[in-house]
Amino acid sequence: MFAKTILALAALAVAVKAVPSHSAVCSQGRRASSEACCVWFDVLDDIQENLFDGSQCGEETHESLRLTFHDAIGFSPALFRQGKFGGGGADGSIMHFADIETNFHANGGIDDIVETQRPFAIAHKVSFADFIQFAGAVGVSNCAGGPRLQFLAGRANTTQPSPDLLVPEPSDSTDAIFARFGDAGFSPAEVVALLASHSVAAQDHVDPTIPGTPFDSTPSSFDAQFFVETLLRGTLFPGNGSNVGEVLAPLGGEFRLFSDANIARDARTACEWQSFITDHGSMVRKFEAAMAKLATVGQNPRALTDCSEVIPVPKAVKLPAPTLPAGKTLEDIQAACAATPFPALRAAPGPATTVAPVPPS
Ligand code: HEM
């Protein structure tokens, strides 16, 4: 009896520890697990209104998500092993040393969002590294069907810029991309998961004559349409012809990166790619897991404070099932997964789909 009571008490203690206490009371009576998280509610209010134009999944959201990656991937254990500085990962260096890093070729156009975000981070006295990851997580929660990313706070300010050539280029081979991600700690399957980000994305600088040209037909939805449309046979260039890192796209007004086209068809990743078409839940979960890793590259997550409760819960929306764009049939799909047949998709009705640009805000 005594032993049973002790066991029950121990179980209760574990259960109590597992439930976040939400002991800190922050602005507007909101509760957080730690006092250190309170500032992030104020940042949240500010950026939803003044950076994301009232919680939109528009251009600033897309750019903020891209920025999380371009800061974090600046980390190379291989360089450290050679006795060189390999970068600090998700350390805010892209904002601290913007004069250096935004000039790296792979960071083309990232200076806009770096300079748009900077005053927010300064006004709220939070580190650039934390701000970049927070803004990306809040932004993508605004996209229909979006994830709720983990957010850990407490990254210190950095003192050194990342070395150049650590951010993958769209013209890189799949081998080079997998090797670069592998060096930073990511498997090819995790690269596929991270590329769900390209479902809410557009290009401005690969072909600068057509800024805002999206990678899929639904750039405000974190849906699987990107994973379908990248497998369609390419037929046209949406802008002034082929640019470095660009390949033929399947739809008017849509842009296809050489890297996305190849990863969709590579034997190492084709089945993972195709699997997301019929399993949005898995796409979101795997993206959340890979992003939790990305946001802490080069950091010790155990030294950070979990403030995930500040990240908004994305609105529950029922996304339409992925379709073949109007005018396309299964014959246009270049299925590349040897193990599983391409799923039967409904074709959207009406005249051939063309895609509208993402408006600048
Ligand atoms: C294989 C690695 C990757 C390559 C080669 C790549 C390349 C690119 C390129 C060339 C653009 C267009 C930039 C422009 O012209 O404005 C872009 C946009 C974007 N990328 Fe990636 N990317 C990769 C991985 C990622 C990852 C891991 C993330 C985030 C987790 C990400 C998020 C985005 C987003 C959100 C945009 C849209 C930005 C906007 O609409 O303004 N990318 N990417």
Side-chain angles (χ1 to χ4, degrees):
M1 174 67 191
F2 177 72
K4 263 194 182 163
T5 312
I6 295 285
L7 277 178
L9 283 175
L12 187 66
V14 169
V16 167
K17 195 162 181 275
V19 176
S21 64
H22 289 104
S23 55
V25 181
C26 311
S27 58
Q28 297 173 36
R30 289 170 291 194
R31 290 189 169 265
S33 50
S34 159
E35 199 75 51
C37 298
C38 281
V39 63
W40 294 104
F41 280 117
D42 302 328
V43 180
L44 173 71
D45 296 342
D46 193 2
I47 66 176
Q48 285 289 47
E49 199 49 41
N50 301 309
L51 177 61
F52 300 135
D53 305 321
S55 310
Q56 297 298 309
C57 177
E59 198 191 8
E60 273 73 24
T61 282
H62 301 173
E63 289 183 346
S64 295
L65 186 58
R66 180 179 180 224
L67 184 58
T68 64
F69 171 52
H70 286 236
D71 190 35
I73 200 68
F75 180 71
S76 170
L79 284 180
F80 282 113
R81 282 195 297 275
Q82 291 164 28
K84 298 177 188 152
F85 177 64
D91 64 352
S93 62
I94 200 163
M95 198 174 279
H96 270 280
F97 299 100
D99 51 335
I100 298 171
E101 291 193 32
T102 62
N103 290 316
F104 297 166
H105 185 264
N107 287 338
I110 210 116
D111 52 329
D112 274 0
I113 190 67
V114 168
E115 296 317 321
T116 305
Q117 285 191 3
R118 184 193 301 278
F120 289 94
I122 292 172
H124 291 280
K125 301 187 174 61
V126 293
S127 75
F128 289 161
D130 278 352
F131 186 87
I132 288 170
Q133 297 306 324
F134 183 75
V138 171
V140 74
S141 78
N142 294 335
C143 303
R148 189 179 191 211
L149 299 185
Q150 182 185 60
F151 172 63
L152 306 183
R155 294 166 192 75
N157 284 330
T158 186
T159 54
Q160 286 189 75
S162 164
D164 196 1
L165 307 180
L166 297 183
V167 180
E169 294 271 10
S171 53
D172 287 347
S173 70
T174 311
D175 282 353
I177 289 173
F178 290 163
R180 178 72 274 282
F181 272 98
D183 178 27
F186 295 88
S187 67
E190 286 172 323
V191 175
V192 176
L194 289 172
L195 282 171
S197 58
H198 282 184
S199 75
V200 286
Q203 74 83 42
D204 292 331
H205 298 93
V206 184
D207 183 346
T209 66
I210 45 166
T213 307
F215 297 151
D216 77 353
S217 57
T218 54
S220 294
S221 289
F222 194 86
D223 62 5
Q225 211 45 43
F226 167 75
F227 291 100
V228 176
E229 292 172 19
T230 42
L231 284 172
L232 287 166
R233 183 174 297 104
T235 54
L236 58 89
F237 290 117
N240 68 356
S242 173
N243 296 277
V244 176
E246 178 185 16
V247 291
L248 289 168
L251 304 174
E254 183 163 303
F255 202 91
R256 182 177 286 171
L257 297 177
F258 173 78
S259 48
D260 288 344
N262 289 342
I263 296 170
R265 289 163 179 74
D266 190 284
R268 290 163 286 186
T269 38
C271 292
E272 188 70 3
W273 194 277
Q274 184 181 290
S275 74
F276 289 158
I277 295 172
T278 46
D279 195 345
H280 179 256
S282 150
M283 168 184 149
V284 170
R285 277 192 306 279
K286 289 180 175 176
F287 181 72
E288 287 170 344
M291 284 299 290
K293 269 178 84 171
L294 187 72
T296 52
V297 169
Q299 301 283 333
N300 173 6
R302 283 180 296 280
L304 303 177
T305 306
D306 192 342
C307 297
S308 303
E309 66 263 27
V310 183
I311 304 298
V313 178
K315 279 196 210 81
V317 285
K318 189 159 168 28
L319 289 175
T323 54
L324 291 168
K328 301 290 181 189
T329 70
L330 275 177
E331 296 289 297
D332 298 309
I333 291 283
Q334 297 177 318
C337 169
T340 319
F342 190 82
L345 297 183
R346 195 175 57 85
T353 304
T354 54
V355 185
V358 176
S361 34

